[in-house]
Amino acid sequence: MGERRKAGGGRVGRDERDVVARGARLAGAARNVVGDHGRAVEAVRAVLTPIHDAAVRRELDAIPVARLQDVTGGRLRLGGVEQSGLRTVGSVLDAGPYRLRQIPGVGQRTVDQVLAAARRLSEAAHETVAVHIDVDRPEPDTTALVTALHTLVEAGPDARRAVDRAGALAQRLDPLLADARPAAGRLRMLLAGREKKARALAAVTAIRALADEAERARLPELFAQASVDLLRGPASDLAAWADFELRSAEYYSLLAEISGRAPDAAAAEGFLPDEVAERVRTQHLDDTHRRVSLRGYQAFGARFALAQRKVILGDEMGLGKTIQAIAVLAHLAAEGQSHFMVVCPASVLVNWTREVEARSALRVLLLHGPDRHDAFADWKGRGGVAVTTFDALRGFPVPGGGEVGLFVVDEAHSVKNPKAKRSQAVAEWAERCARTLFMTGTPMENRVAEFRSLVGMLDGGVADALGEGDALAGSVAFRRAVAPVYLRRNQDDVLTELPSLQHTDEWEELSASDEEAYREAVRAGNFMAMRRAAYLRPEKSAKLERLREIVREAGENGQKTVVFSYFKDVLGVVREELADGTALLGPLTGAVPAARRQQIVDDFAAAPGPAVLLAQIQAAGVGLNMQAASVVVICEPQIKPTIEHQAVARAHRMGQVRPVRVHRLLATGGVDERLVRMLERKTRLFDAYARRSAVAEATPDAVDVSDTDLARRIVEEEQARLGMTDGNPVERAEA
């Protein structure tokens, strides 16, 4: 006790020394995690640089010398250069000035111009050429790249969060620790002048406050876990490749970030006017309750919704509008908001609840079915993210001002008709909520009347100012007119990497009609009928409704779709449902001769604009290339996972110029859920090994579970669940 004095006395005691030591440990942990992350990033760069250089070289070797004329406006005389055997830009750069000067008729001025033009093309190639990771032909260098990236992907958003906070904390602590150095020992304090002593004691106070704040935020644990994750030994090649196949978008996102080949800033910001874009850039985005990393354009989209308060997010399908919405919800929850409402079509209810649960720490409640009013009361009392349908929304009381932190409307084009009751209900909620986020992947630029109706629910002033001629004046003028409320980005603008593969499990709740057909199939012990029960009564099929939405949105965006099913009769039902207004090809089945199959695929690729190809999965899953399709729909889960992988590989392969999105239609609570759960029990590593094996590719039966045993088990379990234990024996799975 005698050692301690008041701060004004200029003496330092154990308490002050402990605070300085505590601050030094915290700063050391912060610097360590930043350093660990930096080394993981450098490991990626070390592998990436030679791969990228080789890709650039291949590009330059493929550019004919004649292209140098384009760069110089046709001023060059290249006849002598080409006649000397230098046919490509790459060979010109290799030749250099000495060899070029030896070419008859080529003077120093031409040499300088040729090399300057070649270097400009080389610089452009370095900026634009992206690295392709080919999962079908893994080379040692790409394997090393995937393995290095795997460390960062596995560390996940928590590691990135730790690095960001560690950097900010170290920046604040380092100068304070320098000022507090005299307080680290009694002798130092005695020898320090009055001004240094006062500064040291003030720094100790600030360090204590920072350390207490860090403890409350559990930053030491966050830093420690991040360092462990970043220092974990490299994964095996097979494990890294397996993870890449499952999460390729995350790998490519990191790759684009580390390589510095980010999308054009104006495109990523939806070509917003500078004044709007600047306001959005300065908007803080809290990630405390978020469990997913955002790409740059996604973070901008979330900030746009926060900064502008009532907006339409109109990104093209596949750019992650749901993730952006969840980022907004997580931010507002961190600010203290407790109640959120999401309204969407019934077909995506389950997807919304699963996405919120997987991508955030927020509580989610489904307000659907006969108990929806009880669920609404629970939400009113306890808060969380409520998810409901347009029809159900009409039955809930409209909130008071400030009660709902964010009102999200998915597939907002569904409420473009102001006379519809669902549109009126949404408009009333939007008016009462301080923040509203409409989401639609359907391009609205050329439908001014419909678009004005949506905008009017958010900002009457912008809607009134939006005239019919604005869309005709060009996209730039249109976007400027609607910039306060509308943000749209296209895939071509913001996805700089080579095509990624995005899998989405589309969980649907069976309609009453679907459920009745399913029970009949279970009662009969007919496994194959159970698998296709969701399509037996098309007029009220939940899966067909979602399939129509996917195909419609793909068509609106000019994309081609391939629809796979194991069952020919399901493809027949799909064909009838899509017959109006859609360019349909197929069905491509096992009964179609091989030559005719290829002709169908060629016709599909040649079709102008959007088209749909129907294909039996076991007939079209092997041997045919369908890279014209960038949207794949699988109507039901397959018994053999290899069949799905092979089918998807027909579209997601070299030559594909757009990211491929795979939608697997699944029904909750029955055979689909049991199939998915059983097949997921296999480990990732085994599944990857099976896919890598040439034998397994040729003979899926060698690596998958027995069809008959699996079918019998599922039928028996479903009969027991539905109280039909005296049901009929299962039919053969191959039926």
Side-chain angles (χ1 to χ4, degrees), residues 91-356:
S91 64
V92 167
L93 289 168
D94 283 345
Y98 177 76
R99 184 180 170 193
L100 288 172
R101 279 197 299 268
Q102 308 309 306
I103 300 172
V106 175
Q108 186 62 47
R109 182 180 179 186
T110 299
V111 168
D112 292 341
Q113 289 178 329
V114 165
L115 286 175
R119 290 187 188 110
R120 284 178 63 188
L121 284 176
S122 177
E123 290 166 4
H126 271 91
E127 288 295 319
T128 58
V129 169
V131 168
H132 171 59
I133 300 176
D134 190 346
V135 297
D136 293 323
R137 290 195 297 272
E139 301 291 340
D141 53 357
T142 53
T143 296
L145 178 59
V146 169
T147 303
L149 285 167
H150 180 72
T151 297
L152 289 164
V153 172
E154 276 290 280
D158 281 347
R160 186 56 184 267
R161 186 180 300 117
V163 170
D164 291 344
R165 297 192 178 180
L169 184 61
Q171 195 172 19
R172 296 172 68 187
L173 276 175
D174 285 346
L176 292 173
L177 288 168
D179 287 344
R181 179 171 293 181
R186 280 183 293 177
L187 182 59
R188 288 181 183 174
M189 198 67 165
L190 286 171
L191 296 176
R194 177 174 297 181
E195 185 178 336
K196 283 190 175 181
K197 288 177 182 177
R199 196 159 59 240
L201 291 171
V204 167
T205 300
I207 291 169
R208 180 186 283 110
L210 275 178
D212 288 345
E213 180 184 327
E215 291 283 353
R216 286 193 295 272
R218 303 181 66 84
L219 292 188
E221 294 93 329
L222 182 66
F223 296 165
Q225 185 60 55
S227 283
V228 168
D229 292 339
L230 290 165
L231 292 172
R232 188 172 286 125
S236 70
D237 295 352
L238 281 174
W241 277 112
D243 194 57
F244 174 78
E245 290 192 46
L246 290 170
R247 298 190 282 177
S248 61
E250 294 181 45
Y251 283 77
Y252 274 124
S253 177
L254 269 171
L255 201 57
E257 180 182 327
I258 292 172
S259 67
R261 275 174 287 283
D264 176 74
E269 295 175 355
F271 301 100
L272 292 176
D274 290 341
E275 63 273 16
V276 178
E278 184 57 33
R279 182 161 60 251
V280 174
R281 291 184 206 115
T282 58
Q283 167 68 48
H284 171 62
L285 184 60
D286 194 298
D287 63 356
T288 304
H289 300 301
R290 181 165 26 98
R291 291 176 179 156
V292 61
S293 297
L294 301 180
R295 304 188 68 155
Y297 74 87
Q298 292 173 333
F300 185 87
R303 289 188 171 96
F304 176 79
L306 289 166
Q308 299 299 101
R309 303 183 73 85
K310 292 193 174 188
V311 301
I312 300 171
L313 181 59
D315 286 347
E316 188 177 7
M317 183 171 62
L319 293 183
K321 293 187 289 294
T322 302
I323 288 175
Q324 294 174 68
I326 290 171
V328 179
L329 293 168
H331 173 95
L332 294 172
E335 286 193 339
Q337 295 286 345
S338 58
H339 290 70
F340 310 98
M341 176 65 74
V342 175
V343 60
C344 61
S347 58
V348 293
L349 276 174
V350 178
N351 282 336
W352 262 102
T353 58
R354 294 190 182 205
E355 283 291 293
V356 173

Side-chain angles (χ1 to χ4, degrees), residues 392-411:
L393 184 73
R394 292 163 48 200
F396 300 137
V398 178
E403 182 180 341
V404 176
L406 179 68
F407 178 45
V408 179
V409 181
D410 195 9
E411 305 288 351

Side-chain angles (χ1 to χ4, degrees), residues 605-617:
V612 179
L613 173 62
L614 306 178
Q616 200 171 8
I617 197 165

